Amino acid sequence: MSTTTVVTELGTLAHDRSHPPAPRCVCAPPQVLADRPDGTVVRSGPVVAKAHAADTDREALAARVALAAAPQLAGILLPPLPAPPGGPRPGRPVTLWPHGEPVDPADPDAAPWEEAAALLARLHRTRSPLPLPPMRGPAKAAAAVARMRAARPGEPATDAVLAAWRGLPAWARGEEAAPGHRTGFLCHGDLHLGQLVRHPAPYGSWLLIDVDDAGLGDPSWDLARPAAWYAAGLLDPDVWLRFLAAYRAGGGPAVPADGDPWPALDVPARALTVQTAALALAKSVAEGRSPDEVEQMMIDTCARIASLPPELAAGRSS
């Protein structure tokens, strides 16, 4: 199915779900919010339709969507709308969602870091009301490295990223299960500010969206991206400390209630650093450009990680 066909079908689904049939419709044309192989998202009025990746595990996706609809997750996850008519589609699976107001990228000072941390703490403290697959964080990191290798086979530019990757324990590379005492928590799996919306838009409460990677696993993975940005110098220390304090105030189990959080966060933060750097190298070559300043900072951070003495790296990976 072509991208144009997918966008058209999603626009029709969202439009038809947004209001009853009318002889004269004055709705604005559907708006494409994202169009990637792993997710095409189209909005019509108050409804958003998403076509997931063609190779999505449909049973796992159904469990994750059911999780978002569960009463126990009310006020934490954005609940889905009823499934689109017509049953499963032969191409990419489709889900429908209410529109929420996203974080404004033009106003970084208003970014809801504390609200995100509080939502994560509540999510991590919630016992899953139904069986779930593992959280997909390590699998996404592995996929990013594979994408980089395919885009830049044998290039020296990838050496530092691959060295940092090889220094991670097998569970963080998606090659084996995480330590048993860290696997039973409900996790989002891909936390960043783009995964928060206000609902009802535009002034409702902040909620987490995009459950494609949600599941059971190590809750420290959900703190890994801001931790990695902080370690790389991309996130202001004050913002990081406010985020961490809000998570702890909410009783989040990913880090100790006080003291040094880094023993719990080090491995996932290094994994997210590698993932971000690998995607930067893959995307930059596909777009025929050099990595930008932010991307290069993450690549340089991989070089620093790779330069750690083996005994130190091993100690921090336990």
Side-chain angles (χ1 to χ4, degrees), residues 140-297:
K140 286 179 71 74
V145 172
R147 179 176 170 184
M148 178 192 69
R149 282 177 162 144
R152 294 177 176 265
E155 288 191 24
T158 67
D159 289 351
V161 179
L162 292 174
W165 180 244
R166 288 190 293 267
L168 291 167
W171 72 265
R173 300 195 303 266
E175 297 171 1
E176 63 182 40
H181 66 290
R182 302 291 289 178
T183 58
F185 294 89
L186 192 52
C187 302
H188 181 273
D190 187 30
L191 190 280
H192 53 79
L193 289 180
Q195 307 287 36
L196 288 104
V197 297
R198 285 189 181 275
H199 180 73
Y203 303 119
S205 300
W206 288 106
L207 297 172
L208 294 169
I209 64 170
D210 191 358
V211 293
D212 290 43
D213 303 305
L216 300 179
D218 183 346
S220 63
W221 202 277
D222 284 344
L223 279 66
R225 186 174 270 107
W229 289 353
Y230 163 68
L234 292 173
L235 186 64
D236 185 275
D238 179 64
V239 173
W240 165 249
L241 291 174
R242 288 192 283 112
F243 173 84
L244 184 62
Y247 181 80
R248 283 172 156 167
V255 295
D258 52 34
D260 183 7
W262 212 254
L265 298 177
D266 175 67
V267 168
R270 285 192 282 136
L272 261 293
T273 300
V274 172
Q275 176 180 321
T276 305
L279 287 176
L281 286 168
K283 289 179 180 178
S284 61
V285 73
E287 296 167 3
R289 60 175 178 81
S290 298
D292 62 29
E293 181 180 0
V294 171
E295 292 170 336
Q296 190 60 51
M297 288 179 71

Side-chain angles (χ1 to χ4, degrees), residues 30-71:
Q31 177 186 5
V32 179
L33 303 181
D35 188 10
R36 303 183 304 271
D38 64 337
T40 300
V41 184
V42 178
R43 174 194 174 191
S44 180
V47 177
V48 172
K50 179 174 182 177
H52 302 260
D55 62 353
T56 295
D57 181 328
R58 294 184 181 229
E59 184 176 345
L61 176 63
R64 290 167 170 136
V65 173
L67 176 72

Side-chain angles (χ1 to χ4, degrees), residues 93-176:
V94 174
T95 53
L96 297 178
W97 305 86
H99 169 68
E101 188 71 18
V103 175
D104 184 358
D107 189 9
D109 291 338
W113 286 107
E114 288 96 337
E115 291 88 343
L119 286 170
L120 284 182
R122 290 179 60 194
L123 179 71
H124 296 163
R125 293 195 336 261
T126 301
R127 185 181 296 274
S128 179
L130 47 86
L132 285 176
M135 173 267 294
R136 292 189 65 247
K140 286 179 71 74
V145 172
R147 179 176 170 184
M148 178 192 69
R149 282 177 162 144
R152 294 177 176 265
E155 288 191 24
T158 67
D159 289 351
V161 179
L162 292 174
W165 180 244
R166 288 190 293 267
L168 291 167
W171 72 265
R173 300 195 303 266
E175 297 171 1
E176 63 182 40

